[in-house]
Amino acid sequence: MFLSINANRFRSPEFLGAANAVLLVGALAGVWNAQSIALCFVVESAIIGVSTLVQMAKAAKRGRLGKSKDYQYVFFIAIYGSFVVLYGSVLFSMIEMHGADTAAVLGIAILAASHYYSYRADYLGNREYLRVTSFELTAFAFARGVPPQAVFAAGLFLLPNAANSPRAVATLIAAKTLADLGTHVLVHKRICAREPDTEFESSST
């Protein structure tokens, strides 16, 4: 296995915090402007959705659910996809996106790497796929994806001129990061508090 992390040790928050810290420092240094950061966070929301679909498939194959009906995937795509579209629409209505540049690609790659690490360390390494159902993963996706992005969007709304100030953008990134770390730890602790369905694992291998 690529990674094997003890369920009582949460190393992925360090990577999550580091990824967001890079964006924060980059915003202060002028590497990423507000438009690029906004684009990074919208795409990050979509990454969480894609990651959840992968997790649902894993849970259906080897987890407590056993099998997952196709409608569950369609249901998740419909409701979570609607959130991503709505979030992007709200964010882009507050910021003129013509200012986004190619540096956003690097920011997206950094955030994607963080979520990939979490998938390997938490979902696979801690065998979370033996502790959750697809329906629960849908709820967890919203618990992970909505609060941090809502904090960032609310900050832009309350501070209309924040997009023109690197320090203000960095402050909003810091607030979003704190919410991100909080929801990340709470969700994964809740999952790891459950006993894994090892009987199902042994019977499916």
Side-chain angles (χ1 to χ4, degrees):
M1 182 177 291
F2 180 74
L3 288 169
S4 181
I5 307 299
N6 185 280
N8 294 319
R9 299 177 63 185
F10 294 90
R11 295 178 179 175
S12 56
E14 299 173 10
F15 285 80
L16 177 63
N20 282 274
V22 170
L23 296 185
L24 189 155
V25 173
L28 285 174
V31 176
W32 290 288
N33 55 26
Q35 290 82 358
S36 296
I37 292 297
L39 182 59
C40 286
F41 288 162
V42 171
V43 175
E44 181 186 29
S45 298
I47 290 172
I48 291 175
V50 173
S51 176
T52 301
L53 287 172
V54 174
Q55 293 174 37
M56 289 171 68
K58 180 71 173 179
K61 182 179 180 182
R62 303 184 66 183
R64 296 193 304 126
L65 187 63
K67 290 185 177 180
S68 180
K69 301 296 184 180
D70 291 340
Y71 76 82
Q72 292 180 290
Y73 297 101
V74 175
F75 175 73
F76 175 78
I77 292 172
I79 61 172
Y80 191 82
S82 297
F83 157 69
V84 174
V85 172
L86 177 62
Y87 175 61
S89 300
V90 170
L91 215 57
F92 297 159
S93 69
M94 293 187 286
I95 300 179
E96 295 182 3
M97 290 308 297
H98 60 75
D101 52 37
T102 54
V105 176
L106 176 59
I108 292 169
I110 292 172
L111 293 173
S114 171
H115 287 283
Y116 176 74
Y117 180 86
S118 177
Y119 171 77
R120 301 295 307 216
D122 296 318
Y123 198 69
L124 299 184
N126 287 339
R127 297 189 301 169
E128 289 181 356
Y129 58 88
L130 295 174
R131 309 168 194 260
V132 294
T133 65
S134 292
F135 178 79
E136 290 168 332
L137 285 170
T138 298
F140 289 146
F142 278 94
R144 280 286 293 113
V146 175
Q149 308 301 348
V151 167
F152 183 76
L156 287 177
F157 178 77
L158 296 174
L159 302 172
N161 297 321
N164 300 319
S165 170
R167 289 186 179 181
V169 173
T171 300
L172 295 182
I173 295 173
K176 178 262 184 186
T177 301
L178 290 176
D180 212 353
L181 289 171
T183 56
H184 179 91
V185 172
L186 285 175
V187 165
H188 289 291
K189 277 189 175 181
R190 182 173 179 178
I191 295 174
C192 287
R194 302 174 177 180
E195 289 296 324
D197 189 355
T198 53
E199 181 179 352
F200 182 87
E201 181 181 40
S202 60
S203 64
S204 62
T205 54

